[in-house]
Amino acid sequence: MQVGIPRETLPGETRVAATPETVKKLVQAGHQVRVERGAGTAARYPDADYEKAGAELADAQTALGGELVLKVRRPDASELDRMKPGAVLLGMLDPFDPEGLRALAGAGLTAFALEAAPRTTRAQSLDVLSSQANLAGYKAVLLATQYYGRIFPMMMTAAGTLKAARVVVLGAGVAGLQAIATARRLGAVVEASDVRPAAREQVESLGGKFIDVPYETDEEREIAEGVGGYARAMPAAWMARQAALVAERCKQADIVITTALIPGRPAPTLIQPDTVAAMKPGSVIVDLAVERGGNCPLSVPGEVVERDGVTLVGLANLPALLATDASALYARNVLDFLKLVIDAEGRFAPPADDDIVNACLVCKDGQVLRSA
């Protein structure tokens, strides 16, 4: 197949959908790979490395005009105009945005939204949400150290003892667990909260303390189990109890990192403005859910602001701040997905009965196949 790797055009998007490592494997499999000049520059993958891997350097028109186009983010209108009807598109396409899916279908594309892959053992190697969230959780802690005016570990000096920072992590999914592990490695005392009871064991295995919100009904416990590895919206009564408990922990914390997201829904509000006002001066909140409305209503997308002496970090797309590693992981995810839809002869031949392929297929033959 003719495979195109265009440069990402979304402001702040520094990742690239293929690296020289994965391009080399595509070329060895018999594909013709065309990489837009400068596509990997922001991720520190120079054009010369792509050429050494066997790719042909091209302009945007050529890269977008491939039979198979690999992207990180969904193409905008100008990119869609340059893509061929019938082409195959892979990327993080936001499957919960109906208007965006209609635009892809209107362009005549067969499109796969990789973030729609099920959370199953077989899909782990191509789980783009996990690979990118892992890095986001790590970077969130480093950002907290940047804006926090003290150190994380306890330190005993001749001039006295410095206490360890207290970190609260809200949401113990992939990003949250990585944040816990990173904060613990830096010497912080860490507490974490999550709606799913199974998260307790994972939090404690990383050295964190689980903030336990008891379930009062069987319905609450059933909902808390989640579906397919994802959290579900909890009943109002449980949310109220969690909010009260979390507010008390946040008031005692030096750092709060929020990661709570429910697919296809606005981010739940976990930290109210009055809680922020009661936090210690110099505290830091890093809101990883800011692109979906934020877990704190005071967070501002793309900005670092101060409210009542508390610094709120609302920087979006944290994996793009680690573009080299984020691209490497993402490109391997893409390569593993391609193994499902390209046959031994190198032809596009998606199986009709594959649960991963069907979950990711969002449009085909001008039709949207997914209900957002």
Side-chain angles (χ1 to χ4, degrees):
M1 298 184 72
Q2 294 177 349
V3 182
I5 317 294
R7 181 173 60 85
E8 297 296 318
T9 59
L10 186 71
E13 185 53 76
T14 57
R15 293 171 290 180
V16 62
T19 63
E21 173 198 5
T22 60
V23 164
K24 183 177 181 179
K25 293 178 180 179
L26 289 170
V27 172
Q28 289 174 341
H31 303 293
Q32 182 181 13
V33 181
R34 294 168 174 169
V35 178
E36 181 182 350
R37 290 181 181 85
T41 301
R44 302 298 184 263
Y45 294 110
D47 289 345
D49 288 356
Y50 285 105
E51 284 191 298
K52 290 177 184 176
E56 172 190 339
L57 297 181
D59 58 16
Q61 180 67 55
T62 303
L64 288 165
E67 298 172 289
L68 169 64
V69 178
L70 308 181
K71 278 187 55 61
V72 177
R73 306 296 282 266
R74 188 175 64 209
D76 60 24
S78 64
E79 292 173 305
L80 287 176
D81 287 342
R82 288 177 281 180
M83 297 180 69
K84 297 177 180 178
V88 179
L89 170 67
L90 269 68
M92 291 190 287
L93 308 180
D94 195 353
F96 294 100
D97 178 8
E99 184 177 347
L101 297 183
R102 286 194 293 269
L104 297 176
L109 303 177
T110 295
F112 294 93
L114 299 181
E115 66 267 55
R119 288 284 176 88
T120 60
T121 301
R122 193 168 73 91
Q124 283 182 342
S125 65
L126 50 87
D127 186 347
V128 297
L129 289 181
S130 291
S131 73
Q132 303 304 293
N134 207 350
L135 294 175
Y138 167 83
K139 187 63 175 179
V141 176
L142 298 192
L143 285 172
T145 67
Q146 177 181 342
Y147 291 101
Y148 181 53
R150 302 171 64 183
I151 66 172
F152 267 41
M154 182 180 75
M155 185 176 293
M156 301 178 68
T157 76
T161 299
L162 300 175
K163 292 183 179 180
R166 300 187 67 86
V167 175
V168 171
V169 178
L170 302 181
V174 174
L177 292 173
Q178 183 56 247
I180 293 167
T182 303
R184 288 288 298 141
R185 283 195 293 266
L186 291 175
V189 175
V190 182
E191 295 181 293
S193 172
D194 195 280
V195 303
R196 295 165 298 143
R200 172 193 287 274
E201 182 179 351
Q202 295 169 309
V203 169
E204 293 177 347
S205 72
L206 294 172
K209 179 181 177 182
F210 192 70
I211 301 173
D212 192 13
V213 183
Y215 304 107
E216 293 185 345
T217 66
D218 291 339
E219 179 191 14
E220 288 183 352
R221 182 174 295 278
E222 180 182 354
I223 294 174
E225 295 292 341
V227 176
Y230 295 100
R232 295 167 62 190
M234 292 294 291
W238 188 93
M239 291 296 292
R241 296 198 304 277
Q242 186 204 37
L245 193 55
V246 164
E248 290 305 311
R249 292 295 197 276
C250 289
K251 292 173 186 177
Q252 301 169 20
D254 300 300
I255 309 289
V256 180
I257 296 173
T258 70
T259 72
L261 283 171
I262 299 170
R265 304 184 119 193
T269 298
L270 302 181
I271 305 177
Q272 297 290 349
D274 59 345
T275 300
V276 176
M279 290 175 67
K280 295 182 287 187
S283 301
V284 176
I285 297 173
V286 182
D287 193 342
L288 290 185
V290 70
E291 287 185 282
R292 293 289 185 180
N295 294 141
C296 177
L298 299 180
S299 300
V300 180
E303 296 185 22
V304 178
V305 299
E306 186 173 316
R307 297 286 187 271
D308 298 305
V310 177
T311 300
L312 293 103
V313 181
L315 301 181
N317 195 8
L318 296 194
L321 301 179
L322 300 166
T324 303
D325 287 334
S327 298
L329 296 180
Y330 181 79
R332 292 170 193 161
N333 293 149
V334 169
L335 195 64
D336 280 332
F337 183 84
L338 288 176
K339 294 175 184 177
L340 301 179
V341 296
I342 295 179
D343 64 19
E345 284 73 41
R347 296 171 301 193
F348 177 66
D353 58 350
D354 190 289
D355 64 318
I356 299 174
V357 173
N358 290 334
C360 294
L361 182 62
V362 293
C363 64
K364 181 181 180 182
D365 298 330
Q367 299 295 318
V368 174
L369 302 179
R370 181 185 176 95
S371 298

